[in-house]
Amino acid sequence: MGEIDPPGHADHDDHSELGEMEARTRALESILTAKGYVDPAALDALIDTYETQVGPRNGARVVARAWLDPRFRAWLLEDATAAVAALGYHGRQGEHLVALENTAARHHLVVCTLCSCYPWSVLGLPPAWYKSAAYRARAVRDPRGVLADFGVALPPETEIRVCDSTAEIRYLVIPRRPPGTEGLDEAALAALVTRDSMIGTGLARVP
Ligand code: FE
């Protein structure tokens, strides 16, 4: 890094305690900031967005709305990008969104076999296991085994369809609405929708 002396890094002693990836990230951010390529405030705003504003709560609200409103559900299945945008969720990696409805007959499981394509606008950033080589390979080869690892046992007559995300298509799974939820409003329903249920590695919670 030579002559670059990043600002705000007087605490050099801390560096030894950083993991390698964090140290690399910090070094990269320092260089980009020092050279004027990135504005630290803009970077903080971006990180805050993905940590606090964009996340699976957005997707949960979409699912709850689809459970309650048949017209919204139809729109979501027809054009998920537009339906989700109507609720105010759009932005990077939310384009070309496709909603997949789980039923008694068919369960969808989403994977990105190539890398880690994921619908950021509705689910936030992907969990570490979603990016793991083990999940990516085994979801295709042995989806029922993967579901068992996640504690999900489906009846043998339920077909499991594995959907491979790409840069062109991101999937949002609409889990089955749990029994005993007839009187619940949208917020109460959304609280039952887990991140994993929208990837297909889980089911919605029973109240
Ligand atoms: Fe990918």
Side-chain angles (χ1 to χ4, degrees), residues 18 174 190:
L18 295 178
I174 308 171

Side-chain angles (χ1 to χ4, degrees), residues 67 176-185 187-194 203-207:
W67 284 345
R176 296 179 69 192
R177 182 170 172 169
T181 57
E182 288 72 22
L184 298 186
D185 65 11
L189 287 171
L192 303 175
V193 182
T194 63
L203 306 176
R205 276 195 286 266
V206 177

Side-chain angles (χ1 to χ4, degrees), residues 24-119:
R24 281 172 175 271
T25 306
R26 199 177 274 199
L28 200 57
E29 182 184 342
S30 299
I31 293 166
L32 293 172
T33 302
K35 288 187 174 288
Y37 292 133
V38 299
D39 172 1
L43 206 57
D44 286 346
L46 198 64
I47 290 166
D48 178 68
T49 298
Y50 282 102
E51 282 187 341
T52 64
Q53 293 170 48
V54 180
R57 291 301 91 215
N58 294 356
R61 193 178 149 227
V62 171
V63 170
R65 176 69 60 90
W67 284 345
L68 282 175
D69 180 348
R71 286 180 56 202
F72 181 78
R73 174 183 158 277
W75 188 19
L76 187 63
L77 291 170
E78 171 78 28
D79 183 352
T81 306
V84 161
L87 293 189
Y89 309 133
H90 30 66
R92 291 203 55 214
Q93 313 232 358
E95 312 92 339
H96 318 297
L97 191 66
V98 170
L100 307 164
E101 188 174 47
N102 281 350
T103 64
R106 183 178 294 158
H107 181 95
H108 298 89
L109 176 69
V110 178
V111 64
C112 175
T113 54
L114 274 181
C115 43
S116 57
C117 297
Y118 194 71

